[in-house]
Amino acid sequence: MRLRLQIPCERTQLGLLLDSIEQSLLEHGIARELRDDMRLIAEEVVCNAIEHGDDGGEHAQRRIAVDIARDDDGLHVEFRDNGKPFDPLDHDPPELDADILDRPVGGLGVHLVRELARSVRYVREEPYNVLHVVLRTR
Amino acid sequence: MELQIHIDPPSNGSQRIALGGRLDTDSYAEFDRQLEPLLPGMQSLLLDLSELVYISSAGIRSIFRARKALAGHSGKVLVLNPQPQIQKVFDVVKAVPLNEIFSSAAEADAYLDAMQRKVLRGDEDED
């Protein structure tokens, strides 16, 4: 299986992208749990790219592409956007054990991606931010 | 797969809200909008997640905001019957303490009754 999708970096396009990914995985017989993990990872990564890659209109056309390839042991996913350099992995892990009153409400998206994926790797390939994510099939 | 929100009439400061569909980037704002006016007078919120099939960090943020709002006046958010995807996300981010997640309405009600009696007796919260 090989799937490639591309959208403008706009919040309004996100739902359609996630539904398209899910539909493709369903058609390829990917199990529910992995489809859910893929949806979550795509939502978190694309949201971050939309939010942080804004360069004040320097790029007239900010786009993000999602490339998914399946092999024997999992899904290999590449997210590629032409926003300004932004490494989503360059953050301290969130404090999960503090009292609710002391915990920030945000900062959990990247943590979820790291925990659900087998591996996550960021690289800047001018003019693109590239995030490689591998998900287990089992 | 729109988010469905069903809000029961409140009773004695406790409020049950049932969610269905997905609580995510596209739907959390609507949930916040309906929930926020109810929070100030709320002692406990029982979130029935039996029909919720998916949550992302955007949905977790909404639940955290509710937990913070209630914790401010010693209230609690309790969760009923989270489906596997939701339980998995909750576990990863420690969204809700495990003793505040219930698999049956009867268990949650018993917990609420005990909480209510504590409040009536004016006991200190023993966490």
Side-chain angles (χ1 to χ4, degrees):
Chain A
M1 133 178 202
R2 188 70 191 257
L3 171 68
R4 189 177 166 77
L5 295 161
Q6 200 181 116
I7 57 161
C9 280
E10 289 161 21
R11 193 58 61 80
T12 53
Q13 305 286 314
L14 179 66
L16 187 60
L17 174 77
L18 299 177
D19 289 346
S20 304
I21 291 173
E22 183 145 8
Q23 189 58 38
S24 290
L25 297 187
L26 187 61
E27 284 165 10
H28 284 90
I30 306 278
R32 165 83 190 264
E33 189 177 1
L34 189 58
R35 294 202 308 269
D36 283 343
D37 287 355
M38 182 68 243
R39 185 184 186 98
L40 183 70
I41 287 168
E43 179 178 338
E44 304 296 349
V45 170
V46 174
C47 263
N48 267 337
I50 291 171
E51 203 174 325
H52 296 281
D54 195 347
D55 50 15
E58 203 174 306
H59 287 88
Q61 267 297 345
R62 282 190 51 231
R63 303 184 72 80
I64 183 160
V66 186
D67 208 304
I68 304 175
R70 182 187 188 178
D71 69 8
D72 291 346
D73 63 348
L75 297 175
H76 294 255
V77 189
E78 182 194 84
F79 297 91
R80 179 178 290 263
D81 75 86
N82 61 349
K84 69 180 184 199
F86 168 70
D87 179 356
L89 306 178
D90 186 20
H91 282 288
D92 293 335
E95 175 55 66
L96 301 181
D97 293 310
D99 187 90
I100 185 63
L101 288 171
D102 301 324
R103 282 180 72 175
V105 296
L108 298 172
V110 173
H111 179 68
L112 277 164
V113 173
R114 282 182 184 278
E115 290 293 314
L116 296 182
R118 181 191 306 175
S119 68
V120 189
R121 192 166 54 88
Y122 169 83
V123 59
R124 177 74 183 178
E125 292 176 6
E126 288 299 340
Y128 301 106
N129 293 302
V130 183
L131 196 71
H132 293 279
V133 183
V134 180
L135 284 88
R136 278 190 190 81
T137 313
R138 288 177 296 277
Chain B
M1 203 60 88
E2 292 282 295
L3 177 69
Q4 295 99 45
I5 307 172
H6 181 89
I7 302 179
D8 281 358
S11 71
N12 296 331
S14 85
Q15 173 88 58
R16 179 181 165 279
I17 298 181
L19 297 178
R22 294 195 188 103
L23 183 58
D24 60 11
T25 302
D26 282 345
S27 64
Y28 81 91
E30 180 57 24
F31 177 54
D32 287 357
R33 194 185 66 78
Q34 295 194 33
L35 183 61
E36 262 163 40
L38 308 173
L39 289 170
M42 208 186 280
Q43 192 54 39
S44 64
L45 168 61
L46 179 61
L47 277 181
D48 184 342
L49 303 185
S50 309
E51 302 296 321
L52 194 72
V53 296
Y54 172 87
I55 196 166
S56 68
S57 70
I60 297 291
R61 286 196 296 275
S62 290
I63 291 175
F64 270 22
R65 280 191 288 269
R67 284 189 63 205
K68 279 174 182 276
L70 266 61
H73 53 256
S74 305
K76 279 206 194 312
V77 174
L78 307 178
V79 171
L80 179 62
N81 213 6
Q83 298 303 301
Q85 191 272 346
I86 284 98
Q87 185 63 59
K88 185 174 179 178
V89 170
F90 278 14
D91 289 344
V92 170
V93 303
K94 298 192 177 177
V96 178
L98 286 177
N99 66 344
E100 293 167 16
I101 300 177
F102 302 90
S103 55
S104 81
E107 280 174 43
D109 287 343
Y111 184 96
L112 279 172
D113 287 345
M115 227 173 98
Q116 195 71 30
R117 282 198 301 274
K118 242 186 195 177
V119 170
L120 291 175
R121 286 204 310 267
D123 286 5
E124 286 298 299
D125 198 6
E126 296 161 13
D127 266 350

